[in-house]
Each structure stands twice: as C-alpha cells, then as structure tokens.
Amino acid sequence: MTQNIYIICPPKKATGGPEALHQLGYILNSLGYNAKMLYSKYKKDPIHPFYKDYDVPYVMKVKDSINNVIIIPESMTNLIAKYPLSQKKIWWLSLDFYEILMNSREKKKNWIRKLIVPYKHTEYRFEPNQNVTHWYQSQRTKEFLLTKKLDNKIAYLCDYVTELFFDNLPESFQKENIITYNPKKGLEKIEKYMMLLPQYKWQPLSGMSREEMRDTLRKAKLHIDFGYFPGRDKIPREALVSGVCLLTGRDGTSAFKEDLGIPEKYKLHENEMQPENVVKLINHLMTNHAEVFTEFSDFRLFVMNEKARMIENTKMLFEKA
C-alpha cells in the first residue's frame, strides 16, 4: 500500500521551521513519494510566497489511517493524539518551542475545556507510543532526546540553505565595511557596538525581500548574532554561504560545534563580552576579512553540502519506513 505523507505546518509563516518543512515536502516528491503539506489552520491561499517555488501540494485536513505518515514539528506535538492510527514523525527543528508553545496552549484553555479534555490527551510528554519516531536537527536536541525513554531509534535530519543564496554565487566577493545583524535577536547586546564603531555600516536584516537579503550579505564582511539559537539557525548559515564571517554568543545550539562549527574564538561566553574585547574582535574581523574568512571555510563547506545530505538522509529514513 502506498504511503500518504502529510507534513503539518502553520500557514503563511516565513521562518526557518516552515521553510524546513516545505523543503522536506519538495525532496520527498522529487524522490517519487506522495507528500503534501497539511496546514494547521484554515487560511485562503495558505502557502507563504517564499515557499511557492517548492511546489508542494497541500490539504487542510486528513482522515487518520494506518497508511499515513504524518510529520509533526516539535511546536505542534499536541496534534499527536489527533492521529492515533497514523505513523507520526516528530521533527525537532527547535528544542525550546516545544515547552514554550505547550505551556502557552495550556494557559489558554479555560476550566471547562480542562475538565472535558484530560490533560494527558492534549499535550505530548514522551508517553510510550510505538507509532512515534523522533528526528533531530541539532546535536543539542539529540542530547536531550537521549535522556528520554523512546520506543524507536532517533535519527538526524537537517534542512538546508535555499538555492537562492547559491544563484550566481561568485568565487570572490566584493566586500564593503558592512556588519549585518538580526534586529529580532540580541539587539540590546549589539547596540553599544554600533555606538562604539560608527565607522562601519550596521545593516539590520529586516524589511527585505529574499533577494535583497542575499545581495546585502554578499557585500557584508561580518554578521553578528549575540541572541539565542533555538535550532540550527538559518541566517548565520546563509551568511557563511555569502562569504561573511560570524561572531556569536553561546546560547542554545550555538554552543555546540556540531551545530555551529565556526572557530571557537568567534563564539563568546558571557564573561568574554567586555566591550574592549568585542571591539578588538570586530576590528580584527573587519580589517582582515579575506584572510580571516579562510578560518570559516570548513564549516562553510559543510553548510554548502546540506541539501545533498538532506536528500540522502531522507532516502534512508523512508526506505526504512
């Protein structure tokens, strides 16, 4: 019997998680499987414009069946109970959103709903279930899952930097004195350096089309991210492909060399973030960009091969299924 594969995804959302889910649908269909997006809420035209090129068909609801494989991001594990017959694959694209969104859903329930729907049937807390398999995207998540008693072996599956960042990728980049940052992450830690280093152009990566972001990164020398890394974050990987050096903190997955394999000296502990130390590092990275970027080449190559690795890992996961 042919398997029907459904990938649960929030509609109209443009973040790293939904993109990874669409990438998986695209790869599965290119391998000859029958994969569809299953959007979690009804919206007219639920596909975000960024993901239309993945060309994955979608449905708004499915009938539970033993012939279904349902892929569920860790942020929506409350939906496990909705499909008792289907095989369920939880893809951990972040560790933190599991707890955050689970707690948020519990708080939103009124007392009548809590009385009618038993607690254990609404949220997943690693109850024994032969129909549930776990995939991890990061080493940090792998180590977390290994502390749990699970019915099936865990497996690695990571997304990739979208092809747009590889289009007409130059062998050498014409760099300018630009430092990029994500204003939604760790901005309060970066603002002081904008004041201390006004000789550089500080460019927030917001309010841009994907093409504008790619073109900005190709001109930038340095991307700074002192924020929290819930998973293997996309922008730092897109920056590496675009010839940009990285300077980060060590919160979340960034602490793990398997997840962010840049030189350790460019991943700062909290007690290393004295202004004089950070200013010296930024100046070093900006002044010696061409030379310093060679230190990032190993992890850049790893990132550039992510799509090929995801295709191979997807094949293995579904040949076993």
Side-chain angles (χ1 to χ4, degrees):
M1 184 77 70
T2 305
Q3 288 179 329
N4 297 307
I5 303 170
Y6 300 100
I7 303 167
I8 297 181
C9 184
K12 292 277 191 191
K13 275 228 172 150
T15 58
E19 177 155 47
L21 295 163
H22 284 84
Q23 287 176 343
L24 179 57
Y26 163 75
I27 285 174
L28 283 165
N29 287 333
S30 70
L31 292 171
Y33 291 95
N34 177 28
K36 294 183 173 74
M37 305 307 295
L38 170 55
Y39 290 109
S40 56
K41 290 179 185 171
Y42 178 78
K43 282 242 172 122
K44 190 178 177 183
D45 190 17
I47 311 169
H48 192 281
F50 284 2
Y51 309 139
K52 287 189 185 290
D53 286 350
Y54 290 115
D55 199 26
V56 185
Y58 71 87
V59 294
M60 302 307 293
K61 60 182 179 180
V62 301
K63 186 179 179 183
D64 189 30
S65 164
I66 57 170
N67 297 315
N68 291 348
V69 176
I70 299 188
I71 294 157
I72 304 173
E74 86 297 326
S75 57
M76 298 184 186
T77 49
N78 60 309
L79 297 175
I80 288 173
K82 191 174 178 181
Y83 305 102
L85 299 175
S86 303
Q87 290 181 54
K88 293 159 290 284
K89 315 289 185 184
I90 303 176
W91 193 11
W92 293 79
L93 296 162
S94 154
L95 189 52
D96 308 271
F97 293 142
Y98 165 67
E99 284 283 354
I100 290 168
L101 292 170
M102 183 163 58
N103 293 336
S104 170
R105 286 188 293 262
E106 285 298 334
K107 282 179 186 171
K108 286 176 184 171
K109 288 177 189 168
N110 61 34
W111 67 271
I112 297 171
R113 177 160 170 72
K114 284 183 180 177
L115 206 64
I116 295 169
V117 183
Y119 186 74
K120 66 179 180 180
H121 293 308
T122 58
E123 294 296 346
Y124 174 71
R125 283 184 160 75
F126 296 93
E127 297 84 1
N129 192 327
Q130 290 285 346
N131 281 342
V132 173
T133 305
H134 296 265
W135 300 337
Y136 60 91
Q137 185 230 29
S138 69
Q139 178 69 20
R140 177 174 174 244
T141 302
K142 178 184 179 181
E143 293 186 10
F144 166 76
L145 290 174
L146 288 173
T147 68
K148 304 295 178 184
K149 190 176 179 183
L150 304 173
D151 293 288
N152 298 300
K153 283 185 178 177
I154 62 175
Y156 174 73
L157 185 67
C158 184
D159 58 315
Y160 59 90
V161 171
T162 184
E163 276 91 346
L164 176 78
F165 287 86
F166 293 90
D167 288 350
N168 302 310
L169 189 67
E171 284 191 25
S172 61
F173 299 90
Q174 299 299 309
K175 294 294 185 182
E176 300 172 23
N177 277 337
I178 297 171
I179 299 173
T180 58
Y181 62 96
N182 181 352
K184 296 175 184 173
K185 279 185 69 190
L187 180 60
E188 68 288 347
K189 292 182 180 178
I190 293 173
E191 283 176 322
K192 68 179 89 168
Y193 304 111
M194 296 183 194
M195 304 286 289
L196 290 167
L197 295 164
Q199 67 268 39
Y200 304 124
K201 181 181 178 184
W202 293 79
Q203 178 66 59
L205 295 174
S206 61
M208 297 180 178
S209 70
R210 305 265 274 188
E211 289 79 8
E212 287 168 336
M213 187 166 152
R214 175 199 62 195
D215 295 344
T216 299
L217 285 170
R218 288 184 181 181
K219 290 186 287 186
K221 288 183 177 178
L222 175 63
H223 179 73
I224 298 180
D225 189 336
F226 290 153
Y228 190 83
F229 282 61
R232 290 195 61 220
D233 288 22
K234 257 311 170 31
I235 293 177
R237 289 186 277 158
E238 292 165 349
L240 279 176
V241 169
S242 307
V244 184
C245 295
L246 298 179
L247 185 61
T248 74
R250 287 179 177 269
D251 291 332
T253 60
S254 58
F256 293 79
K257 68 178 186 299
E258 296 90 345
D259 300 332
L260 188 67
I262 65 173
E264 294 295 309
K265 61 187 172 185
Y266 303 127
K267 297 198 287 185
L268 303 180
H269 292 281
E270 203 68 42
N271 62 4
E272 295 173 313
M273 288 192 181
Q274 301 93 344
E276 63 274 16
N277 185 39
V278 176
V279 165
K280 187 178 175 183
L281 263 176
I282 291 172
N283 280 326
H284 171 68
L285 287 156
M286 294 297 284
T287 308
N288 306 288
H289 171 268
E291 176 192 336
V292 172
F293 189 66
T294 61
E295 299 176 45
F296 292 82
S297 57
D298 285 352
F299 192 62
R300 180 178 189 250
L301 186 63
F302 180 85
V303 168
M304 291 180 80
N305 288 325
E306 282 174 337
K307 183 178 181 182
R309 222 166 19 250
M310 186 176 181
I311 291 168
E312 286 309 306
N313 289 336
T314 302
K315 278 183 192 171
M316 286 193 293
L317 289 172
F318 281 86
E319 279 168 5
K320 291 175 188 174

